[in-house]
Amino acid sequence: DGEDDPLGLGDSAQLLHDNRALLGGRHRLHDGRLNDGHPAPTIEGEKHMEYTAGNVYKAIDMLAPFGGCMAWDNVGLLVGEPDSAVTGILVTLDVTPAAVAQALEMRMNCIVSHHPIIFHPLKHISARDAAGLCLANGISVISAHTNYDFAPRGVNCALAQTLGLRNIRPFGPEDKEKPWYSIIVFVPKTYAEAVYRTMSEAGAGRQGNYSGCAYMNDGEGRFLPEAGAHPYLGKVGALEKAEETRLEMLCAPECLDAVIAAMRAAHPYEEPAYSILQNHALHRQEVYGMVGELPRPMRPEELAAMSETALNTRIQYVPTGREILTVAVCGGAGSDFMGEALAAGAEAFLTGEVKHHEWFMAAEQGLCLMAAGHHATEHPAMPQLAKQLRAALPGLPVEVFDSDPARWGGI
């Protein structure tokens, strides 16, 4: 029995066989190699650090804080437990039965997806749908959706880079009612690095393409523990003079609660001294996409042809009849942000899906609106996410699965 069912799947083995039949030539493993040409990793006998689903979640949260997702979204660890061991990660845009079969074929028990495996409320779970298959076979699923869309090195950055844009930067309105914060905390010198790392991991110190930004200065702290206190340093009734470090870090509003909780958990003092100050030099920016410049001006038809090649798709576009230099992008269903793209100076706006009336709106405003398909505009971020996870989780096998079930005619 062990030869026929090496993974111990029992009754679900036949179902997995059936699911693998859905993969088709593009996804099926041939001679131990993946569809992207990389050798399939072997888990047995491979030496690497032991990781859990919680470690994977934390690595993604560092790249794209889950707290930064849209209110309607469903992100995070959606199947499994934080302490579940992880032997390998399969990164995919969508969690499909075919993706689950691929993960099991490769003995990977964690799937990281862009689109949530659970989005609408479930009325039942079956062993024939993706969530049921993952649950039945011990596969953890972590979904990073709009939080990865908005991340500085997320979906839209990957799309802009795939098109060869330069000077890539986010576009979207600033919320003047939501300034950032400066957090100042005084910590014993011997604990300064630990508190700094913990606050950084919780989201403090991130600004643009930089992370871990902080100012640290040593000095003397003084305090008098009174009756009922249990001081880490000093004695009740005696003035204590301690070597302390002033640690100051920027913090986006959506990360504030998590950063303060992390700081208090890592700080050795019973009552940490800290301040939270509004910083009006920075405001929360709603990141709708990325904008950048082409290496040289292109006519609309030339840009469309180049984009088709870069994304391996077909492009529908508005021929404006003028050369284009500045291009905005938003992966997936981003046509609602056409106005913001125009306000950012874009002469062309490439997204995945466009509604019928929006083509007319773009033509009237002289914008070369371009639709390249939802999958084609978001899948380029999956190899990028895999690379980011490999860097964050050294030694853990990470591979990419192309979940697109559809094809354009002739492609």
Side-chain angles (χ1 to χ4, degrees):
D1 291 341
E3 293 293 329
D4 297 330
D5 188 18
L7 301 182
L9 301 178
D11 293 339
S12 59
Q14 182 59 45
L15 174 60
L16 292 172
H17 174 78
D18 295 340
N19 285 336
R20 292 189 189 110
L22 299 174
L23 296 177
R26 186 177 181 183
H27 299 145
R28 196 189 308 272
L29 290 174
H30 293 288
D31 300 325
R33 303 189 71 81
L34 299 179
N35 59 302
D36 61 2
H38 292 105
T42 56
I43 303 302
E44 295 180 3
E46 184 168 320
K47 295 182 179 180
H48 56 75
M49 292 179 60
E50 293 185 358
Y51 293 105
T52 65
N55 296 139
V56 180
Y57 175 96
K58 188 175 182 180
I60 298 171
D61 193 52
M62 286 286 291
L63 297 168
F66 287 102
C69 72
M70 299 293 286
W72 48 260
D73 206 357
N74 189 34
V75 298
L77 179 59
L78 303 185
V79 177
E81 300 295 332
D83 59 355
S84 297
V86 172
T87 57
I89 300 172
L90 189 68
V91 176
T92 179
L93 198 64
D94 302 276
V95 186
T96 62
V100 177
Q102 184 86 324
L104 289 164
E105 181 79 22
M106 301 173 67
R107 292 188 172 92
M108 290 182 163
N109 64 353
C110 181
I111 294 177
V112 171
S113 71
H114 180 53
H115 295 137
I117 187 173
I118 301 172
F119 189 70
H120 300 291
L122 296 178
K123 294 184 178 180
H124 73 282
I125 297 179
S126 166
R128 291 189 174 276
D129 59 39
L133 278 171
C134 290
L135 194 61
N137 292 287
I139 296 177
S140 302
V141 180
I142 302 172
S143 298
H145 192 206
T146 51
N147 58 309
Y148 196 57
D149 283 330
F150 302 151
R153 296 295 180 185
V155 167
N156 294 312
C157 179
L159 178 57
Q161 290 176 334
T162 301
L163 296 177
L165 299 185
R166 300 176 177 178
N167 188 27
I168 298 169
R169 55 203 182 273
F171 75 85
E174 282 191 350
D175 189 344
K176 298 294 184 181
E177 300 300 318
K178 293 183 179 179
W180 279 38
Y181 296 95
S182 291
I183 302 174
I184 303 169
V185 58
F186 297 89
V187 60
K189 189 174 179 180
T190 54
Y191 270 77
E193 285 298 325
V195 173
Y196 162 73
R197 287 195 301 270
T198 300
M199 291 176 66
S200 296
E201 290 172 358
R206 298 176 186 171
Q207 184 176 359
N209 293 327
Y210 295 85
S211 62
C213 302
Y215 177 79
M216 303 174 76
N217 188 40
D218 294 337
E220 180 183 272
R222 299 187 179 193
F223 50 87
L224 177 64
E226 297 185 350
H230 299 87
Y232 170 74
L233 294 175
K235 298 179 180 180
V236 173
L239 180 66
E240 177 68 17
K241 300 177 182 179
E243 289 187 346
E244 292 186 342
T245 298
R246 173 191 168 112
L247 170 61
E248 184 170 354
M249 303 187 78
L250 289 170
C251 182
E254 63 270 19
C255 296
L256 181 63
D257 290 344
V259 168
I260 296 301
M263 178 274 292
R264 293 186 68 95
H267 203 295
Y269 283 179
E270 185 177 30
E271 297 290 347
Y274 65 96
S275 301
I276 303 173
L277 308 176
Q278 288 190 343
N279 189 328
H280 289 276
L282 292 170
H283 296 86
R284 178 173 179 173
Q285 182 177 17
E286 300 294 339
V287 180
Y288 292 164
M290 294 289 173
V291 62
E293 283 72 48
L294 294 164
R296 60 176 179 80
M298 295 184 181
R299 297 190 62 80
E301 58 272 19
E302 188 180 5
L303 176 59
M306 182 273 289
S307 300
E308 286 187 339
T309 300
L311 300 174
N312 189 31
T313 188
R314 293 287 177 83
I315 300 288
Q316 187 177 7
Y317 68 98
V318 174
T320 56
R322 62 185 178 120
E323 287 193 332
I324 295 164
L325 181 63
T326 304
V327 179
V329 299
C330 180
S335 59
D336 289 346
F337 306 138
M338 180 167 45
E340 287 76 13
L342 279 164
E347 298 153 326
F349 179 35
L350 184 145
T351 187
E353 303 173 14
V354 174
K355 300 180 183 71
H356 179 71
H357 70 279
E358 290 168 335
W359 293 113
F360 297 97
M361 292 171 58
E364 290 170 1
Q365 298 180 77
L367 177 69
C368 179
L369 182 61
M370 313 176 78
H374 198 118
H375 185 95
T377 54
E378 291 189 330
H379 181 72
M382 298 303 97
Q384 170 188 269
L385 178 55
K387 183 178 180 181
Q388 291 165 334
L389 290 174
R390 291 187 194 107
L393 304 166
L396 187 63
V398 183
E399 293 297 340
V400 178
F401 178 77
D402 187 343
S403 62
D404 191 6
R407 299 290 181 273
W408 290 98
I411 293 182

